[in-house]
Amino acid sequence: MTDEHIKQAIIGIIADIAPDEDTGSIDPAVRLRDQMDLDSMDFLDIVMELRKRYGVQVPDTDYQHLASLDSCVAYLRDKMAGKQLVS
Amino acid sequence: MAQYDAIIIGAGMSGLAAGIRLAMYDKKVVVLERHYVWGGLNSFYQFKGHQFDVGLHALTNYAARGARGLPLSRLLKQLRIRWDDLDLHQQGFSAVSFPGVKLKFSNEFELLRSEVARAFPQQADGFDALTRAVREFNELDLEAPQQDARPVVRRFINDPLLEDMIFCPLMYYGSAREHDMDWDQFVVMFKSIFFEGFSRPQQGVRHILKLLIDRFRKAGGELRLKTGVRRILTDGNRATGVELDNGETLTAETVLSSAGLVETERMRGQEPGAQATGKLSFTETISVLDQPAKHVGIEETIVFFSNTARFNYAQPADDVDTSSGVICMPGNFDLPSTPRDHLVRITNIANYDRWAALGSAGFQPASGAGLRPAPQAADETSAAHAGATPALPYYTAKQHWYERSCADAISHIADFRPHVTLVDMFTPRTIRHYTGHEGGAVYGSPKKLRTGATGIEGLYIIGTDQGFLGIIGAALSGISMANRWVLQRDTSAVEAT
Ligand SMILES: Cc1cc2nc3c(=O)[nH]c(=O)nc-3n(C[C@H](O)[C@H](O)[C@H](O)COP(=O)(O)OP(=O)(O)OC[C@H]3O[C@@H](n4cnc5c(N)ncnc54)[C@H](O)[C@@H]3O)c2cc1C
């Protein structure tokens, strides 16, 4: 998966979790929490969706790496290698 | 013998919400409901061609579209429901009405604040300080030490009338305790009623239940109606499954019970402590008017009232205590179209044991005619009756208390009695019958298990007796317990592997 696909994968998940949020204008460098209404319950959902859709496991201790789109990409690059984007 | 990841006892708000969460993440989950319809304490029914809600006066915890960090927004995200799908319409305004004083409030907190300053000028600063204390308290900290609310409130408010006027709506909409509340529960209710406020869907509770059921089924969950659980099975200190009323057994990793704390203990063959059964039950009367309540002169959406300066939130000695109550005009929400039925609903505190002891000979009137509208006999209020009423046949008692309830309520709203065309009423016995809650205790046990943990591994309490009440509260309880005890366990197990 390319970096762009990883971003799209995360945005796709957020759009499902928070259908009332505008996901079209997320700044990849800024913390997701600062741009939209996401709390710890929602980050749990991002982790579970990653597992459900891509078979990727994210241990509790690594949640911090999901703070922004850019940090998600850096953290998931290896884990998502070779996977197909699910829409 | 079927094997599940999770069995959920009860298809009320908490059971359905928990079920959705688990089914969404591919858990094999079944919701077992003894009744032939889902919804639990807040269901709906047909009566003489009318569609009535059992409970639903109002959804508390109103949040505007896009509002952040509020319980309702959290619930929507967790269940993947869009704000628009809820079809929420806000209240006009409501009131707390005590002898000689009325405080209006709405979904704009400023209205209540200015009303307090107008009626209780000496208390205005104290009320602001109380408001700050409520705002700053984190009610989501499930491990916080328990403390009583009244002593905390008295630090800010020293007029007992205002104190009781603040407590009245919060207790009526969510206290399992008599006379006082836990401070964290006070905060939850204060925020949900005064900060956030009331709304409802045009179609009432059936609309919410339909959303939940559809979500649950779409996610692949299984719902079994007319399927009561008789026993919770354990192996040592671990829950292993359930035995149904028909003798069938189902096994599961996790059992989530919304049946109540006492009721769940009984299903484990445990005799619950005497203190554990809730003492607060209610009657609810439904009057259908021949015209909208506003045409009769009733402007409020909901009125919380007491006919005495000291509000007495406690199990009454008599069948019903009509000297305080909640009056709801569902048609006085800002609905896009006028509802078909023009209703006035009145809730009063009632004594379960007295209703349970009434002879069921008079359960239905011989004529099948149903309850009659109340005559305009203004002296039939609670003040005119000193001693307890003699035990009447069930149906006669309903007629008697319906009339008393209306007579006491009209000190606070226009006299609607000449406009009533149809009446229904349910009692603590009805609540017990349809929800299984011992003592007809709508808000469950005064003892709450905030973390859900029962001491038996794999068995957790959700809903009312976990401590989050009302429709939104119960649903959030189901969500957070499903997360904590099933889904989060999965993700933290990752570390170990
Ligand atoms: C008259 C009335 C008015 C109300 N008005 C409002 C309101 O305006 N706004 C608001 O927010 N809240 C209101 N409520 C409160 C709200 O309805 C409840 O707090 C909420 O529905 C509780 O949900 P729950 O899931 O915890 O429990 P319940 O709704 O009690 O669900 C438990 C379910 O478990 C089932 N069950 C129990 N034992 C078994 C067993 N052994 N086997 C199988 N199934 C079993 C029961 O049949 C029931 O369906 C009202 C309640 C009442 C009674």
Side-chain angles (χ1 to χ4, degrees), chain A residues 16 37 42 45 49 52, chain B residues 21 24-25 77 80 83:
Chain A
D16 284 348
D37 188 25
D42 301 319
D45 275 28
E49 293 290 348
K52 185 171 159 179
Chain B
R21 290 292 299 168
M24 257 170 61
Y25 288 109
K77 282 183 294 170
R80 313 285 196 264
W83 190 88

Side-chain angles (χ1 to χ4, degrees), chain B residues 10 13-14 33-34 40-42 55 57-58 229 435 437 463-464 470-471 474:
Chain B
M13 296 293 163
S14 63
E33 170 57 54
R34 184 170 268 144
L41 283 167
N42 231 315
H57 286 175
V229 172
T435 69
H437 285 288
T464 306
I471 294 172

Side-chain angles (χ1 to χ4, degrees), chain B residues 50 52 286-290 341-344 419-423:
Chain B
H50 298 260
F52 289 152
I286 303 177
S287 304
V288 182
L289 310 189
D290 59 8
D341 287 321
H342 313 299
L343 305 181
V344 173
H419 305 284
V420 175
T421 57
L422 182 74
V423 174

